[in-house]
Amino acid sequence: MEEMELDPTVCVFGEDVGHYGGSYKVTKGLADTFGDLRVLDTPIAENSFTGMGVGAGMKGLRPVVEGMNMGFLLLAYNQISNNCGMLHYTSGGQFKIPLVIRGPGGVGRQLGAEHSQRLESYFQSIPGLQMVACSTPYNAKGLMKAAIRSENPVVLFEHVLLYNLKEKIPDEEYVLCLEEAEMVRPGEHVTILTYSRMRYHVMQAAKTLVNKGYDPEVIDIRSLKPFDLHTIGNSIKKTHRVLIVEECMRTGGIGASLRSAIVDNFWDYLDAPIMCLSSQDVPTPYAATLEDATVVQPAQIVAAVEQLCA
């Protein structure tokens, strides 16, 4: 709303984003304030309205495209990969694509396999695309404003289970850097790298670890592409041990890319192999107990740190 008040070129496209206010009420009140053209309800046609967002960005608007569920954006993968990420380059710099793609994703509570997708692994290899994941009300706002103002296409991942978080945020305006990680908890013994919902599993495990005499350093990487290797590297040079905790799939996930980047850049500072805890490579089950079993839990994080520091 703040960015739409400041900049008349900012607009919102998506299914039920208008007077219904979005499936998770993220756009509540926008249609009443800005009208049906700037807050445009679209048909159930992800490929079409994402392509419309790309075209609108090319012509000077700053569209925010909502995927009602991030898994649905697989239907728009061609627009996101071949057009959104590449047109600035393939047009020889004639076009910019200041487009934000956002929506809820991750494993919820018994939403089934199709509605529990983690698309960050799908999108990370697309040239020209930035990716960030918010985890608190404070960084959700700051990253959203930065993404809208960016001249690059940005995918903002919101987790379906974090919408109910509340936090007092500043009354004055603030904008966060899209390429910076957040130091959540300073420590000395091990670097734990995480993002999105897993931040809370890690912090729950950290309480147990502190009681057991460990001092973990927790970093919310936030920027999934590119990685903030400055912050990550400084931590590794201090702790010499790394644990990556993610909700993404183990094969080809963010953790795999992050592990590779750490090996390439900070191998000499490691005193132990990098450990990575990820979701299992299976469709997310509907049954609650099985769903929990596929996702990293705090007890697994505690056990991994104990193994790393042994």
Side-chain angles (χ1 to χ4, degrees):
M1 182 169 282
E2 288 180 5
E3 292 303 301
M4 292 180 80
E5 288 171 345
L6 288 169
D7 185 347
T9 66
V10 179
C11 51
V12 178
F13 302 158
E15 298 154 359
D16 288 335
V17 297
H19 294 283
Y20 185 70
S23 57
Y24 289 90
K25 303 305 178 188
V26 174
T27 56
K28 183 179 179 181
L30 293 186
D32 294 334
T33 304
F34 301 105
D36 294 342
L37 281 179
R38 289 186 69 191
V39 187
L40 186 63
D41 273 327
T42 66
I44 302 173
E46 284 78 10
N47 190 55
S48 299
F49 67 72
T50 304
M52 183 169 67
V54 173
M58 292 169 67
K59 295 297 289 181
L61 298 180
R62 291 186 176 273
V64 179
V65 171
E66 175 180 304
M68 182 183 283
N69 181 283
M70 289 301 262
F72 302 162
L73 290 179
L74 289 174
L75 295 164
Y77 194 83
N78 175 61
Q79 292 290 352
I80 296 168
S81 60
N82 284 327
N83 293 331
C84 178
M86 298 189 189
L87 269 171
H88 180 64
Y89 174 79
T90 56
S91 70
Q94 295 179 78
F95 296 115
K96 294 179 180 178
I97 318 293
L99 171 68
V100 179
I101 299 171
R102 52 150 297 273
V107 178
R109 289 195 176 92
Q110 295 183 268
L111 298 179
E114 298 92 338
H115 290 184
S116 302
Q117 295 273 35
R118 284 77 94 196
L119 293 196
E120 50 266 41
S121 60
Y122 290 71
F123 293 151
Q124 66 176 327
S125 62
I126 298 174
L129 204 64
Q130 281 190 270
M131 303 196 312
V132 291
C134 57
S135 54
T136 68
Y138 177 82
N139 67 38
K141 180 181 179 181
L143 293 172
M144 175 70 78
K145 289 174 76 75
I148 292 172
R149 296 183 187 188
S150 174
E151 297 298 328
N152 299 311
V154 179
V155 181
L156 175 61
F157 292 95
E158 303 162 9
H159 199 286
V160 68
L161 290 183
L162 300 185
Y163 284 127
N164 62 345
L165 292 178
K166 293 185 178 182
E167 177 185 15
K168 184 168 177 57
I169 59 177
D171 293 327
E172 61 273 9
E173 182 182 70
Y174 67 93
V175 179
L176 298 179
C177 178
L178 291 173
E179 299 176 8
E180 282 185 4
E182 176 188 351
M183 178 66 68
V184 181
R185 183 192 188 279
E188 298 289 337
H189 293 162
V190 59
T191 297
I192 305 180
L193 304 173
T194 189
Y195 65 93
S196 192
R197 176 198 176 198
M198 284 296 119
R199 168 178 176 151
Y200 297 94
H201 282 209
V202 168
M203 291 308 292
Q204 186 177 336
K207 294 177 182 177
T208 303
L209 289 167
V210 169
N211 290 336
K212 291 188 171 199
Y214 298 99
D215 186 18
E217 179 150 294
V218 179
I219 295 175
D220 184 341
I221 63 172
R222 290 199 311 207
S223 177
L224 308 184
K225 182 185 178 184
F227 296 130
D228 178 5
L229 293 179
H230 176 74
T231 299
I232 292 168
N234 284 342
S235 179
I236 293 170
K237 291 172 184 178
K238 177 173 61 173
T239 67
H240 309 291
R241 289 173 172 79
V242 181
L243 171 64
I244 301 167
V245 181
E246 63 176 346
E247 195 176 86
C248 202
M249 298 301 190
R250 183 168 186 81
T251 300
I254 295 297
S257 297
L258 185 54
R259 190 201 306 239
S260 176
I262 292 169
V263 168
D264 287 347
N265 290 278
F266 308 111
W267 173 260
D268 289 341
Y269 297 98
L270 295 171
D271 288 344
I274 301 167
M275 292 188 68
C276 184
L277 298 177
S278 313
S279 291
Q280 295 184 37
D281 288 336
V282 297
T284 304
Y286 175 75
T289 51
L290 294 176
E291 182 180 66
D292 285 346
T294 68
V295 178
V296 179
Q297 300 299 329
Q300 294 171 269
I301 300 169
V302 171
V305 169
E306 289 177 327
Q307 182 180 337
L308 265 175
C309 296

